[in-house]
Amino acid sequence: MTSADLTSTKCLEIAARFGINVMDVISSVETQIDAPKDIADIQEDKPVIAEKTAPVAAGDAKTAAALAALQSLLSPSVDMATVEKIVTEKVAAALEGTALLRIELKRADNTEYKSDGTQHPLFGDLLTTLSVRQANGSYNNVWIAGPTGSGKTHAAKECAKAFGVPFYFNGALGMSHELVGFVDAAGNYHTTPFRQAYENGGVYLFDEVDASDNAALLALNAALANGECSFPDNPLPVARHTDFRCIGAANTFGQGATAEFIGRAKIDAAFLSRFAVKFHWTYDVALEQAISGNVEFTKRVQAARARAQAAGVKIVIDPRHSMAGAALISAGMSSDRAAALTYLAGLNSEQTRIVEGR
């Protein structure tokens, strides 16, 4: 038994086992003990807090032994088994609702990928989608739409790791040469992540697609639909590698700006049609708690996010705030200060009042 288990009812049970009359003990104590005076009140299941234990008659060995036993139970102690149990329970509570996926994948070279861990609920579907080929032999092109910090880039990297292929990445494009490369005045060709992935195979993540210029996207239309692409250093088109997988990541589904993402463009319908499979990649509450580094602060961030959404406050509070705040707290900063420097930064007094629930 630990002090957490010690209630008035338990004290009475212990006294009975020692053959002690509780009322006699109470009357023999010269200094007050913070306990109910009425024996009827003691019967209720209330914690007992001992402030002082007074000396008892020297001849009352049983009473002395009983009080010593009770005092040892009330004294603070470190029980590592209990601590481990509490930690395990807290971790389990934090991960509640998050699927622990066991992923087993056999690659083309007969090597295997196995992973046990916390993943976004849609990760299994994403991996499956990128594992199957269409009738023409190409893999599906996938569009992932979700708010900032929802783990889109992380998921793409995990897919490359699972397939055992290189990961290539670029952000929003303003001109087509950022996609296909260019030849400089000296005749040297400058390649791009897209060219490397398209020609040699790998997982290619085109991030911030909906922040790109539509003119820059035209070069990708033919590459994704026809299985070959023209590059400035080669008069002949380059064929799409059989292991090329394309993921487009965005904050929207390409239909234009929203209240939160006002800089997003409406994407050409022909380009959007190249991405036949689309995922709505939302925040995963349990996963955010698991990877943030501080469950309590993350819950505070998530509560603030929920209040902002419920009140229609058009601000972004994402998991990056949870992780940044957790890091600040680990360095000794208070939770309130970490909040002020992360998800509350830049908000006016009214917005702060709303998201903090004051």
Side-chain angles (χ1 to χ4, degrees):
M1 186 187 299
T2 66
S3 58
D5 302 314
L6 192 60
T7 63
S8 297
T9 301
K10 291 292 184 182
C11 286
L12 290 173
E13 292 176 359
I14 294 171
R17 289 172 184 263
F18 276 92
I20 298 169
N21 185 304
V22 175
M23 295 309 297
D24 288 344
V25 174
I26 293 175
S27 63
S28 69
V29 176
E30 297 176 354
T31 307
Q32 292 296 318
I33 298 177
D34 185 14
K37 298 297 187 297
D38 194 314
I39 191 65
D41 292 334
I42 297 178
Q43 298 291 347
E44 298 179 13
D45 195 27
K46 298 177 182 178
V48 173
I49 303 172
E51 293 179 345
K52 293 182 181 179
T53 52
V56 295
D60 197 349
K62 281 189 176 183
T63 301
L67 290 176
L70 291 176
Q71 183 63 38
S72 67
L73 286 172
L74 289 168
S75 300
S77 61
V78 178
D79 182 346
M80 293 310 297
T82 301
V83 171
E84 183 178 355
K85 181 175 181 292
I86 293 172
V87 171
T88 301
E89 289 174 351
K90 285 186 176 293
V91 171
L95 297 181
E96 186 177 357
T98 301
L100 250 166
L101 303 178
R102 179 173 179 81
I103 299 172
E104 297 184 7
L105 187 147
K106 189 171 185 178
R107 305 185 181 113
D109 61 0
N110 290 323
T111 59
E112 292 185 349
Y113 168 81
K114 294 182 179 180
S115 173
D116 290 308
T118 305
Q119 298 285 2
H120 192 283
L122 294 177
F123 180 71
D125 288 342
L126 176 62
L127 199 62
T128 298
T129 300
L130 293 172
S131 299
V132 296
R133 298 180 187 272
Q134 298 180 350
N136 63 4
S138 298
Y139 290 108
N140 289 303
N141 303 316
V142 179
W143 184 286
I144 301 177
T148 176
S150 56
K152 301 183 294 293
T153 300
H154 174 73
K157 288 181 179 179
E158 285 296 304
C159 285
K161 181 179 177 181
F163 296 128
V165 299
F167 173 73
Y168 299 94
F169 164 93
N170 64 249
L173 302 179
M175 302 182 70
S176 61
H177 75 268
E178 297 175 85
L179 192 69
V180 298
F182 67 96
V183 177
D184 63 22
N188 299 313
Y189 172 70
H190 297 262
T191 190
T192 64
F194 169 72
R195 169 71 181 274
Q196 294 297 310
Y198 195 80
E199 187 171 17
N200 303 311
V203 171
Y204 166 67
L205 174 64
F206 186 170
D207 199 14
E208 305 285 353
V209 184
D210 53 353
S212 299
D213 189 286
N214 273 284
L217 303 179
L218 294 178
L220 197 59
N221 279 4
L224 296 182
N226 303 331
E228 56 184 24
C229 182
S230 295
F231 295 95
D233 67 323
N234 194 331
L236 299 175
V238 173
R240 173 174 176 158
H241 195 280
T242 56
D243 287 332
F244 171 76
R245 296 173 172 90
C246 181
I247 301 174
N251 296 130
T252 70
F253 282 104
Q255 302 303 317
T258 65
E260 292 85 2
F261 305 106
I262 60 175
R264 297 308 181 252
K266 184 175 176 60
I267 304 300
D268 182 78
F271 180 82
L272 290 175
S273 71
R274 268 59 175 177
F275 295 86
V277 181
K278 296 179 173 65
F279 286 90
H280 186 202
W281 207 267
T282 57
Y283 291 130
D284 178 19
V285 172
L287 178 59
E288 181 182 355
Q289 292 178 13
I291 66 176
S292 67
N294 187 310
V295 173
E296 291 306 314
F297 183 76
T298 302
K299 288 180 178 180
R300 176 175 176 172
V301 174
Q302 291 170 341
R305 182 189 305 148
R307 294 189 195 101
Q309 292 173 346
V313 179
K314 302 304 181 183
I315 57 175
V316 175
I317 300 178
D318 64 41
R320 294 189 180 99
H321 292 128
S322 298
M323 290 184 279
L328 294 176
I329 293 171
S330 70
M333 193 173 290
S334 69
S335 177
D336 287 343
R337 186 56 180 160
L341 294 177
T342 54
Y343 68 91
L344 295 178
L347 303 188
N348 59 41
S349 57
E350 179 62 16
Q351 290 173 328
T352 299
R353 184 189 66 78
I354 292 173
V355 301
E356 289 291 84
R358 297 172 182 168

